[in-house]
Amino acid sequence: MWPAKKKTLIMGILNITPDSFSDGGAYQNLDEIIKRAKQMVKDGADIIDVGGESTRPGSKVVTLEEELNRVIPVIKQLVKEVDVPISIDTYKAEVARQAVEAGASIINDIGGAKFDPMMPKVMGESGAYVILMHNRKPDMSQTDCITATQGKLTEYVDVVEMVKQELTESIELVKEAGVSDDKIIIDPGIGFAKTIDKNIELMQRVSELHELGYPILLGVSKKGSIGHLLGGLDVNQRLEGTVAATCFAVSQEIEIVRVHDVLENARAAKVMQQLLNYV
């Protein structure tokens, strides 16, 4: 998946949800969804990340059946229509298993393989690339709200060291289940189980995670930390801030950025990479 030269890959977010914080409900019809994915590829997406459950604060937990009904038909069609890797954004092992069977080649787990006890096994058997995001395991009994996917806000003495330590736990889990080193990608989990200040510090120091020896995915597109840095702007006014974060990620040699607005971020990344003599 990795290019010969240094290049920050662009992962385009394709939400098949009615309630995602940025584009919830925008793409519900299968034809519209495929059209949107094709446009993202045309705009510069190197990967399409398909998600069937929103993880925004306050969103409802989606049942396994509903999530499968949302994402599997889309993945089956996408692999016929676009020539880039398809990622499944889920913390549910059965969704991941069926998504890979349908053609997805990346499992993107916001739970870091810790939320569903079967996820490491599914990852190991799938042969897929896996993205392990840092999060804190929440109270899974609270199934009526986002606490089922987003851990409690936590204060960290050293946020980078703690994220490294807890990502190492996730890495060990999946390696024991058969995932090879060359298939592991890590994500610091900006916006998950961290205060705004710690999110920003983690963004500033994200390149330190390379010490773990794995490619990094940075997902900050239109998130609250960007809004905070812009003086409290709402989600629809965070495009420029997201593009700035993408440029910073390129300067830090981050391997993947996950974004809603592919065209603007891909163009900015392309210029940054050339200015830095990466391509």
Side-chain angles (χ1 to χ4, degrees):
M1 184 167 70
W2 307 113
K5 295 184 178 181
K6 289 182 201 174
K7 180 181 185 292
T8 298
L9 301 180
I10 305 295
M11 173 184 275
I13 300 169
L14 190 63
N15 286 321
I16 319 300
T17 58
D19 57 349
S20 292
F21 79 99
S22 176
D23 54 359
Y27 309 104
Q28 296 298 299
N29 175 275
L30 182 59
D31 289 340
E32 292 177 350
I33 292 165
I34 300 304
K35 183 178 179 181
R36 168 62 176 162
K38 286 182 173 180
Q39 185 62 51
M40 286 197 291
V41 173
K42 183 178 179 181
D43 290 345
D46 301 291
I47 304 165
I48 300 295
D49 191 40
V50 177
E53 178 174 351
S54 174
T55 54
R56 70 172 178 82
S59 62
K60 298 293 184 180
V61 169
V62 174
T63 65
L64 172 62
E65 182 179 11
E66 176 62 22
E67 189 173 348
L68 288 168
N69 288 339
R70 289 178 181 181
V71 301
I72 299 304
V74 171
I75 292 170
K76 286 181 176 178
Q77 192 63 29
L78 277 178
V79 296
K80 300 175 184 177
E81 302 273 356
V82 300
D83 190 26
V84 299
I86 306 302
S87 168
I88 176 63
D89 177 8
T90 188
Y91 61 92
K92 299 184 181 78
E94 183 59 19
V95 174
R97 187 190 68 78
Q98 291 196 33
V100 171
E101 191 174 82
S105 56
I106 304 169
I107 300 170
N108 181 14
D109 182 4
I110 68 161
K114 296 178 180 178
F115 285 11
D116 186 329
M118 292 303 295
M119 184 62 93
K121 183 175 186 289
V122 167
M123 287 177 166
E125 292 176 347
S126 71
Y129 284 88
V130 302
I131 300 171
L132 304 172
M133 195 189 83
H134 175 266
N135 202 346
R136 285 284 176 88
K137 192 169 183 178
D139 181 357
M140 298 301 280
S141 67
Q142 301 183 50
T143 56
D144 61 339
C145 66
I146 200 57
T147 49
T149 55
Q150 187 166 356
K152 295 179 180 179
L153 292 179
T154 307
E155 286 294 343
Y156 303 84
V157 175
D158 186 322
V159 67
V160 174
E161 289 306 312
M162 187 58 69
V163 167
K164 285 165 64 177
Q165 177 182 321
E166 294 181 9
L167 279 175
T168 298
E169 294 170 2
S170 292
I171 291 164
E172 290 173 352
L173 272 177
V174 301
K175 287 180 69 173
E176 288 172 3
V179 178
S180 60
D181 266 333
D182 64 338
K183 292 294 182 72
I184 297 173
I185 300 160
I186 57 174
D187 177 345
I190 303 299
F192 289 80
K194 304 167 189 75
T195 62
I196 286 285
D197 288 346
K198 293 302 182 184
N199 280 317
I200 292 170
E201 180 184 352
L202 187 53
M203 289 166 62
Q204 291 170 324
R205 299 174 58 194
V206 65
S207 64
E208 294 179 37
L209 296 181
H210 276 132
E211 295 170 9
L212 293 178
Y214 299 94
I216 298 170
L217 179 147
L218 184 63
V220 299
S221 183
K222 297 185 176 182
K223 287 187 176 179
S225 300
I226 299 295
H228 179 80
L229 290 171
L230 291 170
L233 293 182
D234 67 30
V235 66
N236 295 317
Q237 297 177 299
R238 299 173 188 169
L239 172 58
E240 297 87 351
T242 299
V243 170
T246 290
C247 290
F248 178 74
V250 173
S251 76
Q252 301 299 297
E253 301 185 25
I254 302 307
E255 284 79 3
I256 308 173
V257 291
R258 182 178 181 272
V259 298
H260 298 89
D261 303 286
V262 170
L263 181 64
E264 295 85 349
N265 284 280
R267 286 177 173 173
K270 183 177 181 179
V271 171
M272 281 295 295
Q273 286 161 172
Q274 291 179 88
L275 292 174
L276 293 167
N277 295 316
Y278 288 171
V279 293

